[in-house]
Amino acid sequence: MSVLFVLAAQAASPVCTTPAECAGQGVDTFLGTPERIWASAAALVALGAVVIGWLALRSVRRIDNGGRRAAIVALVAGLTGGLNGAVKLAVADGGLGTGNGVFGAAMALVLGLVGAVLGRLALARSRHTQLSG
């Protein structure tokens, strides 16, 4: 049996959204609760903001526009991810391991703040480069 056939069969099988539904099906079919998915998406957006902000900060003097567009994207994505993480933490009614996405939301909050700070620093440096150049 080929690997692609096994992956297609798993993708076609119904996916459970709670651990109780997945009890007899095995661990690999558990996708996660909507709260975990929300927190994970926010953390991924915030992680993207950190990467874009770091790259913008590194390339401020090398790009013609001073990395300004990347800095703005990092700032907006960082604020979006961080805000979603903060809201998710505020509405979570359980702790770690309850399926409420608390860890993902905390990571989104921290990474979002880091991404926003990196974007703001790159934006400030690009303005400084434009004024002195």
Side-chain angles (χ1 to χ4, degrees), residues 41-53:
L44 285 175
V45 168
L47 181 63
V50 169
V51 170
I52 293 170

Side-chain angles (χ1 to χ4, degrees), residues 38-107:
W38 176 14
S40 298
L44 285 175
V45 168
L47 181 63
V50 169
V51 170
I52 293 170
W54 179 257
L55 291 175
L57 194 60
R58 283 184 50 208
S59 64
V60 164
R61 297 183 191 263
R62 285 185 261 164
I63 298 177
D64 291 335
N65 66 358
R68 191 167 171 78
R69 185 175 300 148
I72 292 171
V73 168
L75 182 63
V76 170
L79 291 175
T80 302
L83 182 63
N84 273 298
V87 168
K88 182 66 206 121
L89 277 176
V91 300
D93 56 353
L96 289 173
T98 59
N100 289 318
V102 174
F103 182 74
M107 290 304 297

Side-chain angles (χ1 to χ4, degrees), residues 100-115:
N100 289 318
V102 174
F103 182 74
M107 290 304 297
L109 180 61
V110 170
L111 290 173
L113 290 175
V114 169

Side-chain angles (χ1 to χ4, degrees), residues 6-16 25 28-30:
V6 172
L7 291 176
Q10 284 184 345
S13 68
V15 177
C16 53
Q25 297 179 12
D28 59 344
T29 58
F30 180 61

Side-chain angles (χ1 to χ4, degrees), residues 13-34 37:
S13 68
V15 177
C16 53
T17 57
T18 63
E21 291 176 2
C22 295
Q25 297 179 12
V27 179
D28 59 344
T29 58
F30 180 61
L31 178 66
T33 60
I37 294 170

